[in-house]
Amino acid sequence: MITDEALMLEFQAGSREALEELFARYREPLYGFFRRRLEAKERADDLTQETFLAMIRATSRYQPRASVRTYLYGIALKLLAAERRRDRRRDTSPANADCPALDNTLWVKQALEKLDASEREILMLREYEQLSYAEIAELLRLPVNTVRSKLFRARMALKDYLAARGNEA
């Protein structure tokens, strides 16, 4: 199987098929990345498309120093940060989370929201996006040991939040 990096270089040379293959490989993972972080499915879909558009616009600048996966998630993180800034400016309040019939998924989401933002992002990149420690470190420009320690702290805090919630029920 051809590597993502080889596909990206083929795309730089004008191969539409290479772009289609990259899109096929990363559309669902990127959509999941946005969907786990945003309420609106439509925005997750829009930002997935915007990620690929940004990649297409910047294709001439791509250098195979980093993996295509890390490159795409870097774009996705920037788009997500911009989306969150826009949301804060709009001052939209989240849907009421005090619903009496909370299921386990909602418990996990609420526990994730209580984590420190950087630890939450590292945890989600590792557990949901399945990025390696090295990929997370490169993406967030942190030392690998910092990623490991923040991930450990995030997992412990998440475990504590979930255990406390379980004791309340």
Side-chain angles (χ1 to χ4, degrees):
M1 177 162 72
I2 190 164
T3 67
D4 296 340
E5 291 70 29
L7 284 171
M8 188 64 167
L9 292 173
E10 285 181 23
F11 174 59
Q12 278 182 317
S15 170
R16 181 184 171 103
E17 293 81 18
L19 174 62
E20 290 171 356
E21 179 62 27
L22 286 168
F23 184 78
R25 289 181 187 184
Y26 286 100
R27 185 178 62 81
E28 286 301 316
L30 286 168
Y31 174 77
F33 169 87
F34 289 116
R35 188 64 190 108
R36 284 184 283 278
R37 290 161 175 84
L38 299 170
E39 293 295 321
K41 291 179 184 179
E42 299 79 24
R43 284 307 295 151
D45 194 44
D46 291 346
L47 290 174
T48 301
Q49 298 297 323
E50 287 180 37
T51 301
F52 284 103
L53 287 173
M55 180 195 80
I56 291 167
R57 287 184 194 116
T59 191
S60 64
R61 293 189 306 263
Y62 173 77
Q63 304 257 330
R65 291 180 298 227
S67 73
V68 170
R69 179 173 150 157
T70 304
Y71 180 68
L72 285 170
Y73 280 109
I75 294 169
L77 276 172
K78 289 176 183 167
L79 289 171
L80 181 65
E83 180 73 9
R84 288 179 172 159
R85 281 191 301 274
R86 276 191 297 275
D87 284 349
R88 276 193 297 266
R89 277 184 287 204
R90 287 186 206 126
D91 195 33
T92 59
S93 58
N96 187 357
D98 296 328
C99 181
L102 292 173
D103 63 356
N104 289 338
T105 304
L106 190 51
W107 284 10
V108 171
K109 187 172 183 174
Q110 288 175 338
L112 281 169
E113 289 171 1
K114 292 180 182 180
L115 295 175
D116 172 74
S118 67
E119 291 175 359
R120 177 178 52 246
E121 197 58 56
I122 288 171
L123 180 71
M124 292 180 79
L125 288 169
R126 178 71 181 142
E127 300 303 331
Y128 291 116
E129 292 10 293
Q130 299 293 302
L131 285 137
S132 70
Y133 294 118
E135 288 172 321
I136 296 168
E138 182 180 338
L139 184 61
L140 300 178
R141 294 182 176 93
L142 296 170
V144 173
N145 285 337
T146 301
V147 170
R148 289 180 191 277
S149 64
K150 284 182 175 253
L151 183 59
F152 178 78
R153 282 195 302 270
R155 286 176 173 157
M156 291 299 103
L158 186 64
K159 179 181 170 189
D160 291 345
Y161 291 138
L162 292 172
R165 180 67 188 180
N167 292 335
E168 290 174 12

